[in-house]
Amino acid sequence: MDKKTGAIAFRFTDQQVNHVAQIWSVGWDEQQSSLYNWSGTERKDQEKYIFQYTLSGHGEINIDGKIHQVKAGHAFIVSSPSNYHYYLPKDSEKWEFIYLTLYGNEAKRCWSFVKNSGNQFVRFHPESTPIKLVKKIYDDAKEKKITNAYEGSSIAYNFIMELYVYLSNSDKLMEDWSEGVISAALFARNYYQDEIGAEEMADASQLSKYHFTRTFKKETGITPIQYLTNIRLQKSIELLQHTKYTVDEIAQLVGYKNANYLNKVTRKLMGKSPGEIRQGK
């Protein structure tokens, strides 16, 4: 797969909104060297709050002397500076993750809630709103859609509120998906634009294709291809309704070869053509 990793930093100067909640940075990274490590006691950035979610592989984080293995589907939330240390352990070939760094009074207030409730290390469902939102923030930042402090503050505040909701209800919302299924689901969500299918999802799960297909359907209720198709369909609808891309361009942006293929999918699953979806029928 073509890597889509990168990092975007924001340095807005409008203190009127920055003190409420603001984005400091967002990124998608993959580390393969054991030299990778960050110490919370040595970081120079003050009063920053980091949310980091593993997409594949695994890393480790030591929080106040307790070591956690950060596998796919797991996230940690830390403040900088504080007593933590995260790194790529020697037994891990890679650590792929997405992260968001925030600051401001509401971010600080949320951090206090996280710390007091013991939620610095949490498992997040791939379908959860915070995970979908952090990926959208990254995509919007890459496309330079976040252009001023007010937009950045609104996005940061929205993420904080969704984090509150998820952490307050995580026991009720969390479905028991296995690590392999979570890895495959995250792979589909992050690479749906490419020519991938059930075989590539099985590779991401590190299970045999037969065992993966059976396990995926048992745990999610649908097949891997249905899951991938749903992601592509949702993105197609979003692009049809909110952009001026041609249907052929949209088809290629969501992983289909051409407009004819996208037309077959939308008619089969929605009973409408891409043009009818665009017109709001």
Side-chain angles (χ1 to χ4, degrees):
M1 297 294 101
D2 293 332
K3 291 300 175 188
K4 300 170 177 63
T5 54
I8 304 94
F10 299 89
R11 300 296 181 265
F12 297 121
T13 58
D14 194 329
Q15 296 305 317
Q16 182 177 354
V17 293
N18 287 354
H19 80 277
V20 178
Q22 191 55 272
I23 303 173
W24 180 255
S25 64
V26 63
W28 180 357
D29 198 2
E30 181 178 312
Q31 293 292 333
Q32 299 180 352
S33 170
S34 59
L35 297 176
Y36 175 76
N37 71 85
W38 284 95
S39 172
T41 57
E42 298 176 1
R43 298 185 79 143
K44 296 180 180 179
D45 37 350
Q46 300 288 314
E47 295 192 328
K48 302 300 186 297
Y49 306 94
I50 304 163
F51 176 91
Q52 185 162 308
Y53 182 74
T54 299
L55 302 174
S56 66
H58 75 271
E60 284 184 356
I61 183 167
N62 185 323
I63 303 176
D64 296 328
K66 184 176 182 180
I67 297 176
H68 304 271
Q69 191 174 75
V70 196
K71 298 180 179 180
H74 288 84
F76 61 77
I77 306 168
V78 294
S79 68
S80 180
S82 63
N83 187 24
Y84 66 84
H85 175 214
Y86 59 88
Y87 51 90
L88 182 74
K90 292 182 180 179
D91 66 340
S92 177
E93 295 182 358
K94 71 170 184 175
W95 188 11
E96 184 182 14
F97 52 85
I98 193 165
Y99 63 88
L100 178 66
T101 306
L102 305 176
Y103 64 101
N105 290 339
E106 289 304 323
K108 184 176 182 179
R109 197 190 314 272
C110 183
W111 161 248
S112 296
F113 170 78
V114 167
K115 181 78 171 175
N116 293 334
S117 59
N119 283 322
Q120 282 187 258
F121 181 74
V122 184
R123 187 172 184 241
F124 280 81
H125 197 282
E127 295 290 331
S128 65
T129 301
I131 300 309
K132 290 181 179 180
L133 188 54
V134 73
K135 179 57 167 58
K136 185 178 188 306
I137 294 170
Y138 174 74
D139 289 341
D140 287 349
K142 287 272 284 187
E143 296 174 15
K144 300 181 179 180
K145 292 182 178 180
I146 306 172
T147 59
N148 60 66
Y150 295 94
E151 290 176 340
S153 182
S154 175
I155 291 167
Y157 188 83
N158 185 23
F159 179 80
I160 290 167
M161 292 303 107
E162 292 297 348
L163 197 56
Y164 274 129
V165 171
Y166 186 86
L167 294 178
S168 298
N169 298 278
S170 58
D171 290 340
K172 298 177 183 177
L173 295 174
M174 195 64 200
E175 297 177 44
D176 190 20
W177 286 14
S178 63
E179 183 182 338
V181 170
I182 288 174
S183 296
L186 288 170
F187 176 80
R189 286 210 159 273
N190 292 320
Y191 291 99
Y192 66 86
Q193 306 97 323
D194 299 322
E195 293 184 12
I196 64 169
E199 187 170 339
E200 287 75 16
M201 291 175 67
D203 289 342
S205 74
Q206 297 187 331
L207 301 171
S208 69
K209 186 175 180 181
Y210 172 75
H211 181 58
F212 163 70
T213 302
R214 185 176 57 178
T215 302
F216 193 96
K217 185 170 184 180
K218 179 181 178 181
E219 294 184 9
T220 68
I222 57 177
T223 68
I225 289 299
Q226 287 172 327
Y227 186 84
L228 178 61
T229 300
N230 287 344
I231 294 171
R232 286 170 166 164
L233 181 61
Q234 290 167 6
K235 189 63 179 179
S236 298
I237 293 170
E238 177 186 332
L239 292 172
L240 286 165
Q241 294 179 339
H242 300 291
T243 74
K244 294 183 179 179
Y245 289 123
T246 67
V247 175
D248 197 60
E249 288 172 332
I250 290 173
Q252 294 179 46
L253 286 171
V254 302
Y256 293 132
K257 292 182 179 180
N258 52 52
N260 289 336
Y261 202 100
L262 178 60
N263 182 58
K264 290 179 181 178
V265 172
T266 59
R267 285 188 179 279
K268 180 179 179 180
L269 298 180
M270 298 187 66
K272 301 177 182 179
S273 70
E276 288 172 330
I277 295 171
R278 169 160 275 171
Q279 293 169 14
K281 292 185 179 179

